[in-house]
Amino acid sequence: MLSIGACRVDDPTASFYVELSPDREKSEPSAVKVSGLDPDVLKKEGTPPGEAMESFAHWIQQTVPESEQPVFVAFNAAFDWMFIADYFQRYLGHNPFGHRALDIKALYMGICAVTWNETSMAAVTKALGISIELSHNALEDARDQARIFNSLLRMSKEKKG
């Protein structure tokens, strides 16, 4: 994992972003290419993973009111959550999100009664009338996903009447 971006879904300006120094030599070339980040640069300038995860956990603690529990919300949460959960466990020994993950694609399936094959980013944003230019910057992606999530919440409320 080379970067982490997060924001509150109810306030995307409340955000967190960090670029990590790689914790292993071998990387997936296609993933590196998509991110636009240079692992060689991050080896020198990136935040060590343990420090990054401590900062992220601190941000979560400061951002989520004590009366609430943090929920990991993502477009295809199963994919993103496994990386975050792994790094939290490996570097801190605990995951502040626990098993609380909400998948935007599954939410869309339920609200719109579509199949999994109809939940691509392109299909969902088109159906919701949202224009998103995927940057593959972790923070911008998190903010885009918050927009999608909030649009789905509005749609769900409208359907209820």
Side-chain angles (χ1 to χ4, degrees), residues 111 128-130 145-156 158:
I111 292 172
L128 297 174
I130 297 173
Q145 291 174 39
R147 286 179 50 215
I148 294 168
F149 181 74
N150 286 314
S151 182
L152 285 171
L153 289 181
R154 284 189 298 277
M155 178 186 282
S156 177
E158 290 169 5

Side-chain angles (χ1 to χ4, degrees), residues 2-3 17 19-22 27 31-46:
L2 298 179
S3 65
Y17 181 76
E19 293 179 355
L20 293 77
S21 56
S27 61
V32 171
K33 184 178 179 182
V34 165
S35 75
L37 299 171
D38 184 336
D40 292 328
V41 171
L42 291 176
K43 282 179 192 175
K44 298 172 190 155
E45 299 175 9

Side-chain angles (χ1 to χ4, degrees), residues 131-136 140-141 144 147:
S131 176
I132 288 179
E133 190 83 26
L134 279 179
S135 66
H136 295 291
E140 291 309 313
D141 287 354
D144 288 341
R147 286 179 50 215

Side-chain angles (χ1 to χ4, degrees), residues 4-17 59 73-75 80 104 121 125 130-151 154:
I4 299 170
C7 67
R8 285 190 58 102
V9 293
D10 61 346
D11 179 9
T13 62
S15 61
F16 175 85
Y17 181 76
W59 178 82
V73 178
F75 197 87
D80 291 340
I104 296 170
M121 180 71 75
T125 54
I130 297 173
S131 176
I132 288 179
E133 190 83 26
L134 279 179
S135 66
H136 295 291
N137 170 280
L139 179 54
E140 291 309 313
D141 287 354
R143 287 180 171 149
D144 288 341
Q145 291 174 39
R147 286 179 50 215
I148 294 168
F149 181 74
N150 286 314
S151 182
R154 284 189 298 277

Side-chain angles (χ1 to χ4, degrees), residues 70 72 81 95-102:
F72 185 91
W81 184 85
N95 178 355
F97 294 109
H99 294 100
R100 294 175 300 277
L102 194 154

